[in-house]
């Protein structure tokens, strides 16, 4: 695995990171060369109404892979038996607007089924081809970085 560091911009370059990286997982769900984007609902604490992939904080005592599989089941209703493949991607070090670092463990889950069962964290999901992700203008800022990392590994092109 490799780690990609995104360069900070503006005033973020001036000071050191405020805290150690927070660890999260980001899972891209694929089905027949399409990817699922999930719109974050009003019940979540941040990034409401924005399109994203499956995400979650890595809980203490849980491996990133175990956390990713748990988030898939909670947020999309996909159990390991529903997956044709589950691939580990890159680890990304991303800084947020405040300069805080986030260590993102990326994964690609290839679903055997089209129908997903979303939980309260999302109010909708859509299947799209990677080349059309840019049409979702209201997406989480770091989604493109996750997509580039995971889709290049799986052989699917994103533009």
């Amino acid at each position: 695995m490799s780690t990609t560091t995104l360069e900070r911009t503006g005033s973020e370059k001036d000071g050191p990171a405020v805290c150690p990286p927070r660890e999260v997982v980001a899972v891209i769900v694929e089905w027949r060369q399409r990817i699922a984007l999930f719109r974050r609902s009003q019940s979540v604490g941040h990034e409401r109404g924005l399109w994203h992939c499956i995400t979650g904080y890595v809980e203490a005592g849980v491996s990133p892979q175990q956390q990713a599989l748990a988030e898939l089941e909670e947020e999309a209703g996909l159990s390991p038996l529903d997956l044709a493949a589950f691939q580990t991607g890159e680890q990304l070090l991303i800084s947020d607007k405040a300069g805080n670092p986030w260590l993102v463990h990326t994964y690609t889950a290839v679903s055997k089924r089209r129908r997903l069962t979303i939980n309260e964290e999302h109010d909708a999901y859509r299947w799209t081809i990677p080349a059309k992700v840019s049409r979702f203008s209201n997406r989480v800022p770091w989604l493109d970085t996750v997509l580039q990392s995971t889709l290049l590994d799986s052989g699917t092109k994103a533009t």
Side-chain angles (χ1 to χ4, degrees), residues 34-106:
R34 288 175 163 63
I35 59 171
L37 295 181
F38 300 84
R39 189 173 59 206
R40 296 186 49 82
S41 73
Q42 295 301 309
S43 70
V44 296
H46 54 87
E47 299 172 330
R48 295 177 181 142
L50 300 182
W51 293 94
H52 206 355
C53 58
I54 299 294
T55 60
Y57 289 97
V58 177
E59 296 178 19
V62 177
S63 75
Q65 182 172 340
Q66 290 170 323
Q67 190 68 52
L69 290 168
E71 297 296 338
L72 269 173
E73 193 149 6
E74 289 172 18
E75 295 183 32
L78 291 172
S79 74
L81 295 175
D82 296 317
L83 302 179
F86 185 78
Q87 180 178 340
T88 302
E90 292 185 74
Q91 289 182 356
L92 306 173
L93 186 60
I94 300 176
S95 294
D96 63 20
K97 291 179 184 178
N100 298 311
W102 294 81
L103 179 58
V104 183
H105 302 272
T106 64

Side-chain angles (χ1 to χ4, degrees), residues 26 28 30 89 106-108 145-155:
I28 302 299
E30 288 187 27
T106 64
Y107 298 91
T108 302
T145 303
V146 171
L147 287 171
Q148 286 298 324
S149 157
T150 57
L151 295 178
L152 292 177
D153 288 343
S154 69

Side-chain angles (χ1 to χ4, degrees), residues 3 8 14 21 24 83 107 113 121-122 125 128 131 133 143 155 158:
T3 301
R8 294 181 185 177
D14 300 334
V24 294
L83 302 179
Y107 298 91
R113 59 186 175 91
E121 292 183 47
H122 309 286
Y125 73 94
T128 187
V133 168
L143 175 62

